[in-house]
């Protein structure tokens, strides 16, 4: 019985990243009006023609939650300061990091459908969201709500 449990646990551990769907979208983290601050500002699928948007990976966790994956090397010094309040090089390994969403952000329906999220959950509420750093990849966990 223990062997079956270990096999299931190993399968889940190694196959879960493969099963989870990761998609690339354009994302601007400079704030609600794209002029500064923090939080999501503008978001759309990779087909977006807005030149100020960067492509980042998003992994769907559930019908209403996702993780934004950002390579630290792709962030400018300004974006690092927005994310961490300092440069990435100054972040301590044991430091608890939070992503600040300054205002409620409403996702457009097309983006939610592209990411295969439930369109009923469109709002990223104002507040803080956990950041984790794994192998120089910044992971921001976001949970959407209804209006």
């Amino acid at each position: 019985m223990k062997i079956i449990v270990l096999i299931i646990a190993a399968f889940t551990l190694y196959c879960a990243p493969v099963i989870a769907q990761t998609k690339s979208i354009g994302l601007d983290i400079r704030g609600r009006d794209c002029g500064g601050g923090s939080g999501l500002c503008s978001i759309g699928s990779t087909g977006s023609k807005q030149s100020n948007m960067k492509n980042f990976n998003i992994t769907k966790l559930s019908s209403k939650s996702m993780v934004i994956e950002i390579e630290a090397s792709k962030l400018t010094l300004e974006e690092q300061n927005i994310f961490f309040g300092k440069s990435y090089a100054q972040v301590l390994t044991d430091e608890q990091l939070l992503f600040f969403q300054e205002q409620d952000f409403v996702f457009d329906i097309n983006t939610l459908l592209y990411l295969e999220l439930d369109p009923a959950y469109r709002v990223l509420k104002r507040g803080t969201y956990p950041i984790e750093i794994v192998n120089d990849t910044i992971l921001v966990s976001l949970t959407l709500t209804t209006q």
Side-chain angles (χ1 to χ4, degrees):
M1 184 67 172
K2 287 183 182 180
I3 293 174
I4 293 173
V5 172
L6 289 174
I7 291 171
I8 291 171
F11 177 78
T12 304
L13 179 66
Y14 292 109
C15 294
V18 174
I19 294 169
Q21 295 215 359
T22 300
K23 295 192 176 186
S24 180
I25 66 167
L27 173 67
D28 195 324
I29 60 165
R30 292 179 295 158
R32 186 172 66 113
D33 62 359
C34 294
S38 61
L40 297 182
C41 150
S42 179
I43 193 161
S45 66
T46 54
S48 176
K49 295 183 180 180
Q50 294 177 325
S51 61
N52 64 340
M53 296 176 68
K54 293 184 179 181
N55 288 332
F56 298 108
N57 290 327
I58 293 205
T59 301
K60 172 185 169 182
L61 297 177
S62 73
S63 63
K64 62 180 181 176
S65 63
M66 64 182 131
V67 172
I68 298 175
E69 302 170 14
I70 305 166
E71 290 180 42
S73 62
K74 290 186 177 180
L75 294 176
T76 66
L77 187 56
E78 177 187 355
E79 290 167 335
Q80 291 172 30
N81 285 322
I82 290 169
F83 251 97
F84 309 115
K86 54 189 162 190
S87 73
Y88 177 69
Q90 295 174 319
V91 174
L92 303 174
T93 55
D94 62 344
E95 192 172 349
Q96 182 181 5
L97 302 169
L98 297 172
F99 177 76
F100 294 95
Q101 179 63 34
E102 292 180 340
Q103 300 293 327
D104 288 356
F105 180 84
V106 180
F107 283 81
D108 67 82
I109 294 292
N110 291 332
T111 299
L112 294 173
L113 293 174
Y114 174 74
L115 296 172
E116 299 177 9
L117 295 169
D118 186 341
Y121 298 93
R122 295 184 60 194
V123 180
L124 178 65
K125 288 290 194 182
R126 178 179 122 181
T128 57
Y129 296 87
I131 295 175
E132 183 180 358
I133 299 175
V134 177
N135 298 328
D136 290 328
T137 300
I138 301 161
L139 306 172
V140 182
S141 299
L142 303 175
T143 301
L144 306 178
T145 64
T146 59
Q147 294 286 351

